[in-house]
Amino acid sequence: MNMSRQRMGLIGTVLALVAAVVLGSGTPAATAATGDLPDSLWFDGSTSAQVSVQGTRFIDGRGREVVLRGFNVSGETKLEENSGLPFATTADAKKSATALRALGGGNSVRFLLSWAHAEPVRGQVDTTYLAAATDQIKAFLDAGIRVFPDFHQDLFSRYLFNSGSWYTGDGAPKWVVDAGGYPQEYCGICLFWGQNITQNAAVEDASYDFWHNTAGIQDAFLTTAQTTMAYLAQHLTTAQFAAIVGFDPYNEPYAGKYDSGETSRTWEQNILWPFYQKFRARMDTAGWQDKPAFIEPNMFWNANIDSQKQVGGLLDTGALGSRYVFNTHYYDQKAISGILMLGNAADGQYSTDFATIRDRGTADSTAAIVSEYGHPLSGTVSGKAPTVLKAMYQALDSRVSGANWWSQAASSGQVLSGTQWQWDIYSGRHNELMNGNASKVLTSGDAWNDEDLSSVALDSSGTAVLRQDARLLDRLYPSAVAGRTLAFTYEDRSRDGSTTLTWNPVPSTLPNVSALVGTGQYGLVVWRSNGTTAPTELHLPASFATSATTVVSDLGTLTGPPAYSGTASSAATPLAVAAEPGGSATRRLLLTAPDSGVLHYALVANTPTAPSASVRAAAQSELTAWAAAAGFTG
């Protein structure tokens, strides 16, 4: 996780918000083949679950553009209380997966794994650990959630830290540290745990040794990673393995220290990139040839504090292509500091930073993903969380601010995939002995270096509940688009305390659209079709009751979409609703337009009072004229 998160006092309890799932009426007339996930339709199954990279986009097996949205599962892996696993039991994993789908609207997770537990003895992979991790991964796959595993590390290894330390780490096994003979760890006057990365000699030296393969430790890691991937490929069904998106080789890489004359840029080129090529080869050997490596640049390349920023971003790899994904993290270090950004985040706060991420993916000829972002939910800066997270989601959706979106929609850009940090059902209920010290039992927050970022917790009855506004987390987004997305925006109307945050009001030049939307949530997607017969899918938040969902599109207008009834051989209603696969009772809006090269749009609004047919028709006329004049290309 990012180096500049503030060490926070864990104070208070955050109000739990529970989203009620509202089911659509009717039963789908046609389902996918027997053996697919519950609620599957003819176009679902392993073909749709399989994701690859095409140009700068994620594409499913039916040629639809895919957006991956979800959470990291979870920081619990960094603790010892559950032996390096995200969950104490497979039952807890299933509970978490169901809640993530129903409360958080996620379709994907970054699933953390521990090298220390996968290879506790050099050269001996613990298949008991791999079996338990595989069973927990299956819980998410069987809930209709795609997975990309991540061998996680922070501060290299917990075994670098003494029992009385203020800090701890995770990652490498004890045998690596024992063999290294590293100096006594010490960070001096460090206000942030991440300062250990550049100020703790033990962390610096151990990281340096890994990247230089001292005593063959990098080779050992690669062999364990290959064994892990082969184990997953062998112990998942074909359908389950299809929903494994790829693998994140190494969390937040950093040199430790640079050699004489070496820079952050040359380190990426000469040390980091060859490591990723080696990992890619191990993926191929393990049977992951068709899945990309989610590779991260130097962790400081996009820091938003100038003194921490380093040149990087995989500038010298050439075209990465379909076998790699540009995978980065983003935290507002200024906001977390409590000093460098005194107020809240605002409309468009991160538009430029996330545009840079999009541009790096484009420059590297591959898709981009933000696999970590978030903000503390307790402590002195927690009051910024509602606006910081809203602004981050806004920047994932579009590279244009809300104030400018309607006039500059043609510059909206592709919708970024992202997984928020984090989803830990044990939040505030831990029993972690920090660095094995029985006198330092951590129970609060994430139980790791004073952090508290989990969006979920368990209530007194053991039910998973949200710790953040459901309107913020359970979002409308285009999970699969039959063509190329040209623009997307979502006004979630999330709250900062009692204040409703509206950053993208419909302009007065579209009075009927504005009247139709009113004060409710709404989203608008514009795409150009590519002849794919499977429909475009938008995840419907639980707040969008089917009976109160209004759609205004060039494909038609209505309030209360009917249940989907199409098949592979019969035409579907252009606007329809269906359950999402996995049995979690979440829903999706299905927009069927099997033409090619045609510009389409769909406004989706949460309208408790159904607009009249005349209002919908007037709004449709306004949107048709707006889309024609907006200058969309592509």
Side-chain angles (χ1 to χ4, degrees):
M1 303 201 40
N2 200 284
M3 71 164 290
S4 64
R5 298 185 190 157
Q6 192 175 24
R7 299 184 70 245
M8 303 161 286
L10 301 175
I11 56 174
T13 302
V14 181
L15 179 64
L17 299 168
V18 185
V21 178
V22 184
L23 295 175
S25 59
T27 301
T31 61
T34 301
D36 283 331
L37 296 177
D39 299 319
S40 291
L41 298 173
W42 68 266
F43 50 85
D44 294 319
S46 58
T47 299
S48 290
Q50 180 76 46
V51 172
S52 61
V53 176
Q54 186 179 104
T56 61
R57 315 280 169 138
F58 291 109
I59 302 294
D60 72 11
R62 296 193 180 277
R64 295 180 298 175
E65 184 179 293
V66 168
V67 173
L68 307 174
R69 286 287 176 89
F71 297 84
N72 282 262
V73 178
S74 74
E76 172 70 25
T77 300
K78 302 198 289 188
L79 309 182
E80 286 299 300
E81 62 185 4
N82 285 328
S83 302
L85 291 165
F87 304 100
T89 64
T90 303
D92 278 0
K94 293 177 179 178
K95 175 188 291 189
S96 182
T98 300
L100 189 147
R101 195 76 156 138
L103 301 179
N107 66 5
S108 305
V109 295
R110 180 174 180 246
F111 191 99
L112 275 59
L113 297 171
S114 167
W115 179 20
H117 289 273
E119 190 187 7
V121 177
R122 182 163 192 164
Q124 298 181 26
V125 174
D126 185 348
T127 54
T128 300
Y129 174 78
L130 295 187
T134 301
D135 285 344
Q136 294 184 9
I137 287 173
K138 288 179 180 179
F140 286 84
L141 298 172
D142 292 345
I145 298 170
R146 294 183 178 98
V147 173
F148 61 103
D150 155 48
F151 262 121
H152 207 81
Q153 72 80 37
D154 289 291
L155 308 186
F156 192 74
S157 173
R158 71 185 297 266
Y159 299 105
L160 289 172
F161 294 85
N162 64 72
S163 61
S165 179
W166 282 11
Y167 305 103
T168 191
D170 74 294
K174 187 175 186 297
W175 62 261
V176 172
V177 174
D178 289 344
Y182 299 115
Q184 180 74 27
E185 65 89 9
Y186 179 66
C187 197
I189 303 174
C190 288
L191 299 178
F192 312 108
W193 69 257
Q195 289 176 268
N196 284 271
I197 297 171
T198 56
Q199 294 177 219
N200 189 323
V203 176
E204 292 178 273
D205 289 355
S207 299
Y208 180 91
D209 282 354
F210 177 84
W211 295 114
H212 289 80
N213 198 26
T214 302
I217 58 175
Q218 186 184 114
D219 288 339
F221 170 81
L222 290 169
T223 298
T224 297
Q226 178 181 326
T227 302
T228 299
M229 289 185 284
Y231 188 95
L232 284 168
Q234 293 162 7
H235 290 83
L236 297 174
T237 68
T238 300
Q240 288 169 337
F241 191 55
I244 298 288
V245 182
F247 207 108
D248 184 343
Y250 198 90
N251 180 68
E252 294 184 349
Y254 182 63
K257 53 189 177 182
Y258 295 118
D259 285 322
S260 177
E262 189 175 48
T263 66
S264 55
R265 180 168 182 168
T266 60
W267 178 80
E268 278 194 348
Q269 181 181 9
N270 299 325
I271 302 294
L272 184 61
W273 174 232
F275 166 76
Y276 286 143
Q277 292 174 304
K278 294 175 186 176
F279 195 96
R280 175 70 264 180
R282 300 295 186 123
M283 292 179 70
D284 294 346
T285 302
W288 292 51
Q289 302 94 324
D290 298 329
K291 301 180 187 296
F294 283 59
I295 61 175
E296 302 183 33
N298 172 356
M299 64 175 295
F300 298 118
W301 81 278
N302 64 341
N304 71 343
I305 297 177
D306 290 342
S307 63
Q308 296 173 350
K309 200 176 189 70
Q310 297 186 15
V311 175
L314 303 176
L315 298 170
D316 302 299
T317 60
L320 293 175
S322 61
R323 289 166 57 77
Y324 299 92
V325 169
F326 184 79
N327 170 23
T328 191
H329 299 171
Y330 188 86
Y331 294 94
D332 186 343
Q333 301 162 356
K334 294 180 180 179
I336 291 172
S337 74
I339 299 171
L340 299 176
M341 190 188 97
L342 298 179
N344 289 336
D347 174 29
Q349 185 92 13
Y350 306 116
S351 295
T352 299
D353 293 317
F354 281 55
T356 299
I357 294 170
R358 287 179 173 87
D359 292 343
R360 284 308 314 146
T362 299
D364 286 334
S365 299
T366 191
I369 187 171
V370 187
S371 63
E372 282 191 30
Y373 54 93
H375 190 82
L377 298 183
S378 65
T380 58
V381 300
S382 60
K384 301 178 188 293
T387 56
V388 166
L389 265 297
K390 180 179 173 74
M392 288 181 177
Y393 275 109
Q394 180 192 54
L396 286 170
D397 289 345
S398 171
R399 63 191 299 154
V400 179
S401 68
N404 296 324
W405 192 87
W406 285 93
S407 61
Q408 299 178 16
S411 300
S412 187
Q414 69 187 81
V415 183
L416 276 176
S417 294
T419 49
Q420 184 177 330
W421 187 274
Q422 66 160 326
W423 190 268
D424 174 19
I425 61 172
Y426 306 120
S427 174
R429 291 169 169 258
H430 295 285
N431 186 38
E432 175 71 4
L433 278 62
M434 186 174 181
N435 297 315
N437 188 338
S439 67
K440 295 182 70 174
V441 181
L442 306 180
T443 60
S444 301
D446 300 344
W448 199 86
N449 287 340
D450 285 348
E451 290 202 328
D452 185 14
L453 286 94
S454 178
S455 296
V456 71
L458 298 178
D459 65 13
S460 58
S461 68
T463 301
V465 295
L466 291 180
R467 302 177 66 227
Q468 294 180 275
D469 191 345
R471 288 161 291 215
L472 172 70
L473 299 182
D474 187 13
R475 307 179 64 79
L476 186 83
Y477 62 93
S479 54
V481 172
R484 185 178 181 88
T485 306
L486 303 180
F488 175 69
T489 190
Y490 179 52
E491 180 50 80
D492 56 43
R493 312 278 191 184
S494 57
R495 309 292 200 268
D496 180 9
S498 60
T499 301
T500 299
L501 301 173
T502 300
W503 290 354
N504 191 355
V506 179
S508 59
T509 52
L510 301 170
N512 289 289
V513 176
S514 180
L516 182 146
V517 167
T519 59
Q521 300 163 297
Y522 80 89
L524 176 60
V525 61
V526 181
W527 76 101
R528 192 174 299 280
S529 60
N530 65 355
T532 301
T533 56
T536 289
E537 301 184 31
L538 275 70
H539 168 72
L540 281 175
S543 58
F544 280 63
T546 300
S547 60
T549 296
T550 294
V551 184
V552 177
S553 171
D554 65 292
L555 302 174
T557 76
L558 52 75
T559 297
Y564 183 84
S565 59
T567 68
S569 58
S570 65
T573 303
L575 310 177
V577 69
E580 291 176 318
S584 63
T586 58
R587 295 160 303 118
R588 49 186 166 164
L589 180 69
L590 302 177
L591 308 169
T592 300
D595 46 30
S596 182
V598 178
L599 185 72
H600 296 288
Y601 68 83
L603 174 80
V604 187
N606 181 1
T607 53
T609 301
S612 65
S614 60
V615 169
R616 295 199 310 266
Q620 183 186 48
S621 295
E622 290 179 350
L623 287 172
T624 299
W626 169 83
F632 291 112
T633 60

